[in-house]
Amino acid sequence: MYDVIVIGSGPAGLTAAIYASRANLKTLVVAGVQWGGQLMITTDVENFPGFKKGILGPELMDNMWNQAERFGVEMNFDDATAVDFSSKPFKVTVGSKVYEGKSVIIATGASAKWLGLESETRLRGRGVSVCATCDAAFFKDQRVVVVGGGDTAMEEALALSKFASEVKVVHRRDKLRATKILQERAFKEPKIEFIWNSTVQEILGKDRVEGVRLRKVDTNEEFELACDGVFIAIGHKPNTEIFKGQIEMDQVGYIVTEDLTKTSVEGVFAAGDVQDYIYRQAVMAAGAGCKAAIDAEKYLEGV
Ligand code: NAP
């Protein structure tokens, strides 16, 4: 029986584990086969406080991991396959094992959606990115393309316009999905140009991004555009499949929290990108993990 079972091992999950185990709570992290979360596919992280020269994403996660282990956190490197929050203790199934916990912290994060092109996978971290807040500074005076027409795409384009020499937003329709205010800001920014009714067929370049091949959706005409970076901003998907029917979620699948980390089930908390679609930053996720652990500790004192 664990006091706290943390599901997920990104900055939210591992910070929650550090706080919970340091508070003397018997803590298990179900880390997942691809432990570490989105930072494991990031290169330089320059905006996580405490590293004056920046740090590599996987190295940062390794550090968090070792820090959690120091306090006696137990880890399981498989994926949680099912949960049962209908009665207490809560049950978390990992393959053939069923763990019991007095409280659960969900920190399974979200995954950026990708276009699904081979060239996109090959050039990831070599000019292809899904996070302008993380990577815009690497594109100073360079030409970048942003794919998408929602709020994220507009925010990415605006963030990039502070560094890049030109930003071309490629959208598959002739209307944006983004909120009016963000649309207006993007239209006003002279560095941002829109390429409408177009989809990305291929990202060009051998070792680094050199351009994109686009297709007009109405005429099927294909054309190439030279650029140094491609930011995919077509949305995120929260990793909440196994919680369906167990806990309240919004239409998209993000876990609904009240009072910061409390979910619709008493004793189950959520932290990080799985409930926060606005900020999506490692430091915010870490902060949320801390809150969830403190909330779980308070909850356990009362049971
Ligand atoms: P989103 O609203 O779902 O927009 C995704 C965009 O990508 C859409 O324009 C969509 O095109 C396009 N797209 C999707 N799949 C595509 C594909 N395979 N190929 C090409 N284009 C594709 O996602 P989001 O912008 O990440 O926003 C998600 C939620 O977070 C929204 O509720 C948003 O309001 C919120 N958000 C808010 C803020 C803020 O308030 N500051 C910032 C970021 C996000 P179509 O338009 O044709 O469907």
Side-chain angles (χ1 to χ4, degrees), residues 113-115 147-153 155 171-173 175-179 182 199 233-236 252 254 277-278 280:
K113 288 190 199 159
W114 295 90
L115 297 169
V147 186
D151 280 345
T152 304
E155 284 200 332
H171 184 36
R172 63 184 177 183
R173 293 189 293 138
K175 272 193 192 69
L176 295 174
R177 179 179 296 278
T179 43
L182 281 174
T199 54
I234 59 171
H236 284 76
V252 186
Y254 285 95
Y277 55 77
I278 304 277
R280 293 195 192 108

PDB file of all heavy atoms in Angstrom, residues 113-115 147-153 155 171-173 175-179 182 199 233-236 252 254 277-278 280, ligand 1:
ATOM      1  N   LYS A 113       0.816  17.323 -31.077  1.00  0.00           N
ATOM      2  CA  LYS A 113       0.422  16.581 -32.277  1.00  0.00           C
ATOM      3  C   LYS A 113       1.445  16.861 -33.374  1.00  0.00           C
ATOM      4  O   LYS A 113       1.937  17.985 -33.490  1.00  0.00           O
ATOM      5  CB  LYS A 113      -0.963  17.041 -32.742  1.00  0.00           C
ATOM      6  CG  LYS A 113      -2.076  16.568 -31.843  1.00  0.00           C
ATOM      7  CD  LYS A 113      -3.390  16.880 -32.553  1.00  0.00           C
ATOM      8  CE  LYS A 113      -4.537  16.876 -31.594  1.00  0.00           C
ATOM      9  NZ  LYS A 113      -5.673  17.634 -32.103  1.00  0.00           N
ATOM     10  N   TRP A 114       1.726  15.838 -34.128  1.00  0.00           N
ATOM     11  CA  TRP A 114       2.684  15.978 -35.233  1.00  0.00           C
ATOM     12  C   TRP A 114       1.960  15.747 -36.545  1.00  0.00           C
ATOM     13  O   TRP A 114       0.879  15.152 -36.575  1.00  0.00           O
ATOM     14  CB  TRP A 114       3.821  14.963 -35.067  1.00  0.00           C
ATOM     15  CG  TRP A 114       4.654  15.206 -33.846  1.00  0.00           C
ATOM     16  CD1 TRP A 114       4.440  14.685 -32.602  1.00  0.00           C
ATOM     17  CD2 TRP A 114       5.812  16.037 -33.734  1.00  0.00           C
ATOM     18  NE1 TRP A 114       5.405  15.140 -31.730  1.00  0.00           N
ATOM     19  CE2 TRP A 114       6.257  15.968 -32.393  1.00  0.00           C
ATOM     20  CE3 TRP A 114       6.527  16.831 -34.639  1.00  0.00           C
ATOM     21  CZ2 TRP A 114       7.374  16.666 -31.936  1.00  0.00           C
ATOM     22  CZ3 TRP A 114       7.645  17.516 -34.187  1.00  0.00           C
ATOM     23  CH2 TRP A 114       8.053  17.434 -32.845  1.00  0.00           C
ATOM     24  N   LEU A 115       2.580  16.197 -37.629  1.00  0.00           N
ATOM     25  CA  LEU A 115       1.958  16.029 -38.936  1.00  0.00           C
ATOM     26  C   LEU A 115       2.025  14.573 -39.395  1.00  0.00           C
ATOM     27  O   LEU A 115       1.209  14.121 -40.182  1.00  0.00           O
ATOM     28  CB  LEU A 115       2.658  16.917 -39.976  1.00  0.00           C
ATOM     29  CG  LEU A 115       2.556  18.427 -39.724  1.00  0.00           C
ATOM     30  CD1 LEU A 115       3.495  19.190 -40.645  1.00  0.00           C
ATOM     31  CD2 LEU A 115       1.121  18.896 -39.936  1.00  0.00           C
ATOM     32  N   VAL A 147       3.280  26.021 -38.572  1.00  0.00           N
ATOM     33  CA  VAL A 147       2.158  25.291 -39.157  1.00  0.00           C
ATOM     34  C   VAL A 147       0.988  25.275 -38.178  1.00  0.00           C
ATOM     35  O   VAL A 147       1.162  24.877 -37.020  1.00  0.00           O
ATOM     36  CB  VAL A 147       2.564  23.830 -39.495  1.00  0.00           C
ATOM     37  CG1 VAL A 147       1.435  23.118 -40.241  1.00  0.00           C
ATOM     38  CG2 VAL A 147       3.852  23.799 -40.301  1.00  0.00           C
ATOM     39  N   GLY A 148      -0.192  25.722 -38.642  1.00  0.00           N
ATOM     40  CA  GLY A 148      -1.384  25.712 -37.785  1.00  0.00           C
ATOM     41  C   GLY A 148      -2.112  27.038 -37.829  1.00  0.00           C
ATOM     42  O   GLY A 148      -1.555  28.047 -38.275  1.00  0.00           O
ATOM     43  N   GLY A 149      -3.359  27.036 -37.344  1.00  0.00           N
ATOM     44  CA  GLY A 149      -4.153  28.261 -37.407  1.00  0.00           C
ATOM     45  C   GLY A 149      -4.889  28.552 -36.109  1.00  0.00           C
ATOM     46  O   GLY A 149      -5.803  29.368 -36.080  1.00  0.00           O
ATOM     47  N   GLY A 150      -4.480  27.903 -35.018  1.00  0.00           N
ATOM     48  CA  GLY A 150      -5.137  28.109 -33.726  1.00  0.00           C
ATOM     49  C   GLY A 150      -4.374  29.089 -32.846  1.00  0.00           C
ATOM     50  O   GLY A 150      -3.427  29.744 -33.290  1.00  0.00           O
ATOM     51  N   ASP A 151      -4.803  29.190 -31.592  1.00  0.00           N
ATOM     52  CA  ASP A 151      -4.144  30.097 -30.644  1.00  0.00           C
ATOM     53  C   ASP A 151      -2.661  29.773 -30.489  1.00  0.00           C
ATOM     54  O   ASP A 151      -1.817  30.678 -30.418  1.00  0.00           O
ATOM     55  CB  ASP A 151      -4.813  29.980 -29.266  1.00  0.00           C
ATOM     56  CG  ASP A 151      -6.097  30.772 -29.199  1.00  0.00           C
ATOM     57  OD1 ASP A 151      -6.319  31.609 -30.089  1.00  0.00           O
ATOM     58  OD2 ASP A 151      -6.872  30.548 -28.252  1.00  0.00           O
ATOM     59  N   THR A 152      -2.362  28.483 -30.398  1.00  0.00           N
ATOM     60  CA  THR A 152      -0.956  28.106 -30.218  1.00  0.00           C
ATOM     61  C   THR A 152      -0.122  28.603 -31.396  1.00  0.00           C
ATOM     62  O   THR A 152       0.948  29.185 -31.206  1.00  0.00           O
ATOM     63  CB  THR A 152      -0.821  26.576 -30.069  1.00  0.00           C
ATOM     64  OG1 THR A 152      -1.638  26.166 -28.987  1.00  0.00           O
ATOM     65  CG2 THR A 152       0.610  26.158 -29.809  1.00  0.00           C
ATOM     66  N   ALA A 153      -0.628  28.398 -32.611  1.00  0.00           N
ATOM     67  CA  ALA A 153       0.131  28.815 -33.801  1.00  0.00           C
ATOM     68  C   ALA A 153       0.368  30.328 -33.782  1.00  0.00           C
ATOM     69  O   ALA A 153       1.469  30.800 -34.096  1.00  0.00           O
ATOM     70  CB  ALA A 153      -0.612  28.399 -35.060  1.00  0.00           C
ATOM     71  N   GLU A 155       0.427  32.306 -31.120  1.00  0.00           N
ATOM     72  CA  GLU A 155       1.382  32.637 -30.051  1.00  0.00           C
ATOM     73  C   GLU A 155       2.807  32.265 -30.454  1.00  0.00           C
ATOM     74  O   GLU A 155       3.744  32.994 -30.183  1.00  0.00           O
ATOM     75  CB  GLU A 155       1.002  31.895 -28.770  1.00  0.00           C
ATOM     76  CG  GLU A 155      -0.175  32.541 -28.094  1.00  0.00           C
ATOM     77  CD  GLU A 155      -0.290  32.167 -26.633  1.00  0.00           C
ATOM     78  OE1 GLU A 155       0.157  31.069 -26.270  1.00  0.00           O
ATOM     79  OE2 GLU A 155      -0.833  32.983 -25.869  1.00  0.00           O
ATOM     80  N   HIS A 171      -1.312  27.619 -43.132  1.00  0.00           N
ATOM     81  CA  HIS A 171      -2.575  27.103 -42.576  1.00  0.00           C
ATOM     82  C   HIS A 171      -3.368  26.401 -43.675  1.00  0.00           C
ATOM     83  O   HIS A 171      -3.390  26.845 -44.817  1.00  0.00           O
ATOM     84  CB  HIS A 171      -3.375  28.272 -41.975  1.00  0.00           C
ATOM     85  CG  HIS A 171      -4.639  27.834 -41.303  1.00  0.00           C
ATOM     86  ND1 HIS A 171      -4.743  26.652 -40.589  1.00  0.00           N
ATOM     87  CD2 HIS A 171      -5.867  28.419 -41.244  1.00  0.00           C
ATOM     88  CE1 HIS A 171      -5.971  26.545 -40.113  1.00  0.00           C
ATOM     89  NE2 HIS A 171      -6.670  27.593 -40.499  1.00  0.00           N
ATOM     90  N   ARG A 172      -4.048  25.323 -43.291  1.00  0.00           N
ATOM     91  CA  ARG A 172      -4.723  24.495 -44.300  1.00  0.00           C
ATOM     92  C   ARG A 172      -6.046  25.071 -44.803  1.00  0.00           C
ATOM     93  O   ARG A 172      -6.619  24.560 -45.755  1.00  0.00           O
ATOM     94  CB  ARG A 172      -4.938  23.087 -43.761  1.00  0.00           C
ATOM     95  CG  ARG A 172      -5.850  22.999 -42.544  1.00  0.00           C
ATOM     96  CD  ARG A 172      -5.914  21.570 -42.037  1.00  0.00           C
ATOM     97  NE  ARG A 172      -6.727  21.472 -40.835  1.00  0.00           N
ATOM     98  CZ  ARG A 172      -6.896  20.353 -40.150  1.00  0.00           C
ATOM     99  NH1 ARG A 172      -6.286  19.252 -40.529  1.00  0.00           N
ATOM    100  NH2 ARG A 172      -7.647  20.327 -39.074  1.00  0.00           N
ATOM    101  N   ARG A 173      -6.545  26.114 -44.114  1.00  0.00           N
ATOM    102  CA  ARG A 173      -7.796  26.748 -44.572  1.00  0.00           C
ATOM    103  C   ARG A 173      -7.525  28.228 -44.867  1.00  0.00           C
ATOM    104  O   ARG A 173      -6.388  28.688 -44.770  1.00  0.00           O
ATOM    105  CB  ARG A 173      -8.859  26.651 -43.482  1.00  0.00           C
ATOM    106  CG  ARG A 173      -9.312  25.238 -43.232  1.00  0.00           C
ATOM    107  CD  ARG A 173     -10.511  25.212 -42.301  1.00  0.00           C
ATOM    108  NE  ARG A 173     -10.179  25.668 -40.951  1.00  0.00           N
ATOM    109  CZ  ARG A 173     -10.952  26.465 -40.228  1.00  0.00           C
ATOM    110  NH1 ARG A 173     -12.071  26.949 -40.720  1.00  0.00           N
ATOM    111  NH2 ARG A 173     -10.603  26.822 -38.998  1.00  0.00           N
ATOM    112  N   LYS A 175      -9.226  30.558 -43.114  1.00  0.00           N
ATOM    113  CA  LYS A 175      -9.669  31.252 -41.900  1.00  0.00           C
ATOM    114  C   LYS A 175      -8.942  30.656 -40.712  1.00  0.00           C
ATOM    115  O   LYS A 175      -8.740  29.444 -40.651  1.00  0.00           O
ATOM    116  CB  LYS A 175     -11.167  31.038 -41.700  1.00  0.00           C
ATOM    117  CG  LYS A 175     -12.011  32.037 -42.394  1.00  0.00           C
ATOM    118  CD  LYS A 175     -13.458  31.981 -41.903  1.00  0.00           C
ATOM    119  CE  LYS A 175     -14.341  32.789 -42.838  1.00  0.00           C
ATOM    120  NZ  LYS A 175     -14.495  32.176 -44.164  1.00  0.00           N
ATOM    121  N   LEU A 176      -8.629  31.549 -39.776  1.00  0.00           N
ATOM    122  CA  LEU A 176      -7.933  31.055 -38.587  1.00  0.00           C
ATOM    123  C   LEU A 176      -8.944  30.565 -37.550  1.00  0.00           C
ATOM    124  O   LEU A 176     -10.059  31.076 -37.479  1.00  0.00           O
ATOM    125  CB  LEU A 176      -7.095  32.177 -37.975  1.00  0.00           C
ATOM    126  CG  LEU A 176      -5.944  32.686 -38.828  1.00  0.00           C
ATOM    127  CD1 LEU A 176      -5.289  33.896 -38.148  1.00  0.00           C
ATOM    128  CD2 LEU A 176      -4.897  31.600 -39.064  1.00  0.00           C
ATOM    129  N   ARG A 177      -8.520  29.619 -36.744  1.00  0.00           N
ATOM    130  CA  ARG A 177      -9.327  29.153 -35.629  1.00  0.00           C
ATOM    131  C   ARG A 177      -9.026  29.971 -34.368  1.00  0.00           C
ATOM    132  O   ARG A 177      -9.795  29.994 -33.422  1.00  0.00           O
ATOM    133  CB  ARG A 177      -8.978  27.675 -35.387  1.00  0.00           C
ATOM    134  CG  ARG A 177      -9.690  27.013 -34.248  1.00  0.00           C
ATOM    135  CD  ARG A 177      -9.256  25.556 -34.136  1.00  0.00           C
ATOM    136  NE  ARG A 177      -9.653  24.813 -35.319  1.00  0.00           N
ATOM    137  CZ  ARG A 177     -10.875  24.317 -35.511  1.00  0.00           C
ATOM    138  NH1 ARG A 177     -11.794  24.471 -34.602  1.00  0.00           N
ATOM    139  NH2 ARG A 177     -11.164  23.649 -36.605  1.00  0.00           N
ATOM    140  N   ALA A 178      -7.912  30.672 -34.391  1.00  0.00           N
ATOM    141  CA  ALA A 178      -7.440  31.409 -33.207  1.00  0.00           C
ATOM    142  C   ALA A 178      -8.434  32.486 -32.773  1.00  0.00           C
ATOM    143  O   ALA A 178      -9.228  32.975 -33.583  1.00  0.00           O
ATOM    144  CB  ALA A 178      -6.095  32.054 -33.522  1.00  0.00           C
ATOM    145  N   THR A 179      -8.370  32.860 -31.491  1.00  0.00           N
ATOM    146  CA  THR A 179      -9.241  33.922 -30.984  1.00  0.00           C
ATOM    147  C   THR A 179      -8.897  35.247 -31.680  1.00  0.00           C
ATOM    148  O   THR A 179      -7.760  35.464 -32.082  1.00  0.00           O
ATOM    149  CB  THR A 179      -9.053  34.087 -29.465  1.00  0.00           C
ATOM    150  OG1 THR A 179      -7.663  34.028 -29.189  1.00  0.00           O
ATOM    151  CG2 THR A 179      -9.745  33.005 -28.679  1.00  0.00           C
ATOM    152  N   LEU A 182      -5.754  37.335 -30.733  1.00  0.00           N
ATOM    153  CA  LEU A 182      -4.458  36.811 -31.186  1.00  0.00           C
ATOM    154  C   LEU A 182      -4.319  36.947 -32.699  1.00  0.00           C
ATOM    155  O   LEU A 182      -3.242  37.240 -33.222  1.00  0.00           O
ATOM    156  CB  LEU A 182      -4.298  35.357 -30.745  1.00  0.00           C
ATOM    157  CG  LEU A 182      -3.899  35.171 -29.286  1.00  0.00           C
ATOM    158  CD1 LEU A 182      -3.909  33.703 -28.886  1.00  0.00           C
ATOM    159  CD2 LEU A 182      -2.515  35.755 -29.007  1.00  0.00           C
ATOM    160  N   THR A 199      -0.864  22.880 -47.206  1.00  0.00           N
ATOM    161  CA  THR A 199      -0.406  21.870 -46.239  1.00  0.00           C
ATOM    162  C   THR A 199       1.067  21.566 -46.499  1.00  0.00           C
ATOM    163  O   THR A 199       1.566  21.747 -47.617  1.00  0.00           O
ATOM    164  CB  THR A 199      -1.210  20.565 -46.371  1.00  0.00           C
ATOM    165  OG1 THR A 199      -1.153  20.143 -47.734  1.00  0.00           O
ATOM    166  CG2 THR A 199      -2.660  20.742 -45.949  1.00  0.00           C
ATOM    167  N   ALA A 233       2.460  23.601 -34.835  1.00  0.00           N
ATOM    168  CA  ALA A 233       1.582  24.114 -33.770  1.00  0.00           C
ATOM    169  C   ALA A 233       0.143  23.740 -34.081  1.00  0.00           C
ATOM    170  O   ALA A 233      -0.732  24.592 -34.221  1.00  0.00           O
ATOM    171  CB  ALA A 233       1.745  25.627 -33.652  1.00  0.00           C
ATOM    172  N   ILE A 234      -0.095  22.430 -34.204  1.00  0.00           N
ATOM    173  CA  ILE A 234      -1.431  21.970 -34.612  1.00  0.00           C
ATOM    174  C   ILE A 234      -2.188  21.370 -33.428  1.00  0.00           C
ATOM    175  O   ILE A 234      -3.146  20.627 -33.612  1.00  0.00           O
ATOM    176  CB  ILE A 234      -1.342  20.977 -35.791  1.00  0.00           C
ATOM    177  CG1 ILE A 234      -0.500  19.747 -35.416  1.00  0.00           C
ATOM    178  CG2 ILE A 234      -0.756  21.658 -37.024  1.00  0.00           C
ATOM    179  CD1 ILE A 234      -0.565  18.638 -36.463  1.00  0.00           C
ATOM    180  N   GLY A 235      -1.780  21.705 -32.236  1.00  0.00           N
ATOM    181  CA  GLY A 235      -2.516  21.275 -31.048  1.00  0.00           C
ATOM    182  C   GLY A 235      -1.780  20.224 -30.235  1.00  0.00           C
ATOM    183  O   GLY A 235      -0.739  19.712 -30.651  1.00  0.00           O
ATOM    184  N   HIS A 236      -2.340  19.967 -29.071  1.00  0.00           N
ATOM    185  CA  HIS A 236      -1.777  18.960 -28.165  1.00  0.00           C
ATOM    186  C   HIS A 236      -2.865  17.976 -27.787  1.00  0.00           C
ATOM    187  O   HIS A 236      -4.045  18.283 -27.885  1.00  0.00           O
ATOM    188  CB  HIS A 236      -1.261  19.626 -26.877  1.00  0.00           C
ATOM    189  CG  HIS A 236       0.032  20.336 -27.075  1.00  0.00           C
ATOM    190  ND1 HIS A 236       0.100  21.553 -27.701  1.00  0.00           N
ATOM    191  CD2 HIS A 236       1.292  20.001 -26.746  1.00  0.00           C
ATOM    192  CE1 HIS A 236       1.360  21.932 -27.756  1.00  0.00           C
ATOM    193  NE2 HIS A 236       2.111  21.014 -27.181  1.00  0.00           N
ATOM    194  N   VAL A 252     -11.846  18.228 -24.630  1.00  0.00           N
ATOM    195  CA  VAL A 252     -10.641  17.781 -25.335  1.00  0.00           C
ATOM    196  C   VAL A 252      -9.978  16.601 -24.607  1.00  0.00           C
ATOM    197  O   VAL A 252      -9.211  15.852 -25.198  1.00  0.00           O
ATOM    198  CB  VAL A 252      -9.639  18.960 -25.468  1.00  0.00           C
ATOM    199  CG1 VAL A 252      -8.429  18.602 -26.306  1.00  0.00           C
ATOM    200  CG2 VAL A 252     -10.332  20.177 -26.047  1.00  0.00           C
ATOM    201  N   TYR A 254      -8.601  17.166 -21.288  1.00  0.00           N
ATOM    202  CA  TYR A 254      -7.774  17.668 -20.181  1.00  0.00           C
ATOM    203  C   TYR A 254      -8.509  17.421 -18.871  1.00  0.00           C
ATOM    204  O   TYR A 254      -9.746  17.558 -18.811  1.00  0.00           O
ATOM    205  CB  TYR A 254      -7.500  19.180 -20.337  1.00  0.00           C
ATOM    206  CG  TYR A 254      -6.478  19.469 -21.403  1.00  0.00           C
ATOM    207  CD1 TYR A 254      -6.866  19.780 -22.700  1.00  0.00           C
ATOM    208  CD2 TYR A 254      -5.116  19.408 -21.121  1.00  0.00           C
ATOM    209  CE1 TYR A 254      -5.935  20.017 -23.697  1.00  0.00           C
ATOM    210  CE2 TYR A 254      -4.175  19.646 -22.110  1.00  0.00           C
ATOM    211  CZ  TYR A 254      -4.589  19.945 -23.390  1.00  0.00           C
ATOM    212  OH  TYR A 254      -3.663  20.168 -24.362  1.00  0.00           O
ATOM    213  N   TYR A 277      -3.424  23.549 -20.213  1.00  0.00           N
ATOM    214  CA  TYR A 277      -3.137  23.678 -21.644  1.00  0.00           C
ATOM    215  C   TYR A 277      -2.673  25.077 -22.009  1.00  0.00           C
ATOM    216  O   TYR A 277      -2.414  25.369 -23.156  1.00  0.00           O
ATOM    217  CB  TYR A 277      -4.334  23.256 -22.500  1.00  0.00           C
ATOM    218  CG  TYR A 277      -5.618  23.979 -22.181  1.00  0.00           C
ATOM    219  CD1 TYR A 277      -5.822  25.282 -22.617  1.00  0.00           C
ATOM    220  CD2 TYR A 277      -6.610  23.362 -21.446  1.00  0.00           C
ATOM    221  CE1 TYR A 277      -7.002  25.944 -22.319  1.00  0.00           C
ATOM    222  CE2 TYR A 277      -7.788  24.020 -21.138  1.00  0.00           C
ATOM    223  CZ  TYR A 277      -7.979  25.315 -21.573  1.00  0.00           C
ATOM    224  OH  TYR A 277      -9.132  25.970 -21.271  1.00  0.00           O
ATOM    225  N   ILE A 278      -2.582  25.949 -21.029  1.00  0.00           N
ATOM    226  CA  ILE A 278      -2.193  27.325 -21.339  1.00  0.00           C
ATOM    227  C   ILE A 278      -0.673  27.494 -21.311  1.00  0.00           C
ATOM    228  O   ILE A 278      -0.071  27.935 -22.280  1.00  0.00           O
ATOM    229  CB  ILE A 278      -2.822  28.332 -20.347  1.00  0.00           C
ATOM    230  CG1 ILE A 278      -4.354  28.182 -20.328  1.00  0.00           C
ATOM    231  CG2 ILE A 278      -2.405  29.769 -20.666  1.00  0.00           C
ATOM    232  CD1 ILE A 278      -5.109  28.894 -21.405  1.00  0.00           C
ATOM    233  N   ARG A 280       2.064  25.163 -20.358  1.00  0.00           N
ATOM    234  CA  ARG A 280       2.854  24.061 -20.948  1.00  0.00           C
ATOM    235  C   ARG A 280       4.364  24.243 -20.793  1.00  0.00           C
ATOM    236  O   ARG A 280       5.119  24.028 -21.734  1.00  0.00           O
ATOM    237  CB  ARG A 280       2.570  23.941 -22.438  1.00  0.00           C
ATOM    238  CG  ARG A 280       1.190  23.507 -22.784  1.00  0.00           C
ATOM    239  CD  ARG A 280       1.139  23.068 -24.225  1.00  0.00           C
ATOM    240  NE  ARG A 280      -0.204  22.906 -24.654  1.00  0.00           N
ATOM    241  CZ  ARG A 280      -0.816  23.730 -25.488  1.00  0.00           C
ATOM    242  NH1 ARG A 280      -0.187  24.747 -26.011  1.00  0.00           N
ATOM    243  NH2 ARG A 280      -2.057  23.495 -25.823  1.00  0.00           N
TER     244      ARG A 280
HETATM  245  P1  NAP B   1      -6.378  24.047 -31.852  1.00  0.00           P
HETATM  246  O1  NAP B   1      -7.225  25.173 -31.384  1.00  0.00           O
HETATM  247  O2  NAP B   1      -6.968  22.677 -31.942  1.00  0.00           O
HETATM  248  O3  NAP B   1      -5.821  24.461 -33.289  1.00  0.00           O
HETATM  249  C1  NAP B   1      -5.083  23.573 -34.064  1.00  0.00           C
HETATM  250  C2  NAP B   1      -4.816  24.203 -35.413  1.00  0.00           C
HETATM  251  O4  NAP B   1      -3.987  23.330 -36.166  1.00  0.00           O
HETATM  252  C3  NAP B   1      -6.101  24.441 -36.232  1.00  0.00           C
HETATM  253  O5  NAP B   1      -6.001  25.651 -36.928  1.00  0.00           O
HETATM  254  C4  NAP B   1      -6.124  23.244 -37.180  1.00  0.00           C
HETATM  255  O6  NAP B   1      -6.680  23.557 -38.423  1.00  0.00           O
HETATM  256  C5  NAP B   1      -4.657  22.973 -37.378  1.00  0.00           C
HETATM  257  N1  NAP B   1      -4.410  21.554 -37.621  1.00  0.00           N
HETATM  258  C6  NAP B   1      -4.796  20.502 -36.869  1.00  0.00           C
HETATM  259  N2  NAP B   1      -4.345  19.345 -37.381  1.00  0.00           N
HETATM  260  C7  NAP B   1      -3.673  19.680 -38.512  1.00  0.00           C
HETATM  261  C8  NAP B   1      -2.975  18.935 -39.503  1.00  0.00           C
HETATM  262  N3  NAP B   1      -2.863  17.603 -39.418  1.00  0.00           N
HETATM  263  N4  NAP B   1      -2.386  19.604 -40.498  1.00  0.00           N
HETATM  264  C9  NAP B   1      -2.467  20.958 -40.577  1.00  0.00           C
HETATM  265  N5  NAP B   1      -3.112  21.719 -39.693  1.00  0.00           N
HETATM  266  C10 NAP B   1      -3.708  21.087 -38.657  1.00  0.00           C
HETATM  267  O7  NAP B   1      -5.061  23.860 -30.974  1.00  0.00           O
HETATM  268  P2  NAP B   1      -4.230  24.964 -30.157  1.00  0.00           P
HETATM  269  O8  NAP B   1      -3.994  26.146 -30.978  1.00  0.00           O
HETATM  270  O9  NAP B   1      -3.061  24.242 -29.606  1.00  0.00           O
HETATM  271  O10 NAP B   1      -5.190  25.342 -28.953  1.00  0.00           O
HETATM  272  C11 NAP B   1      -5.713  24.337 -28.073  1.00  0.00           C
HETATM  273  C12 NAP B   1      -6.555  24.973 -26.974  1.00  0.00           C
HETATM  274  O11 NAP B   1      -5.715  25.737 -26.106  1.00  0.00           O
HETATM  275  C13 NAP B   1      -7.598  25.942 -27.533  1.00  0.00           C
HETATM  276  O12 NAP B   1      -8.745  25.861 -26.732  1.00  0.00           O
HETATM  277  C14 NAP B   1      -6.941  27.287 -27.367  1.00  0.00           C
HETATM  278  O13 NAP B   1      -7.851  28.350 -27.274  1.00  0.00           O
HETATM  279  C15 NAP B   1      -6.139  27.085 -26.083  1.00  0.00           C
HETATM  280  N6  NAP B   1      -4.975  27.986 -26.069  1.00  0.00           N
HETATM  281  C16 NAP B   1      -5.156  29.221 -25.516  1.00  0.00           C
HETATM  282  C17 NAP B   1      -4.110  30.123 -25.493  1.00  0.00           C
HETATM  283  C18 NAP B   1      -4.335  31.467 -24.901  1.00  0.00           C
HETATM  284  O14 NAP B   1      -5.430  31.721 -24.450  1.00  0.00           O
HETATM  285  N7  NAP B   1      -3.364  32.331 -24.866  1.00  0.00           N
HETATM  286  C19 NAP B   1      -2.870  29.777 -26.046  1.00  0.00           C
HETATM  287  C20 NAP B   1      -2.731  28.518 -26.606  1.00  0.00           C
HETATM  288  C21 NAP B   1      -3.789  27.623 -26.620  1.00  0.00           C
HETATM  289  P3  NAP B   1      -8.260  23.830 -38.607  1.00  0.00           P
HETATM  290  O15 NAP B   1      -8.472  25.221 -38.075  1.00  0.00           O
HETATM  291  O16 NAP B   1      -8.472  23.696 -40.060  1.00  0.00           O
HETATM  292  O17 NAP B   1      -8.952  22.765 -37.800  1.00  0.00           O
END
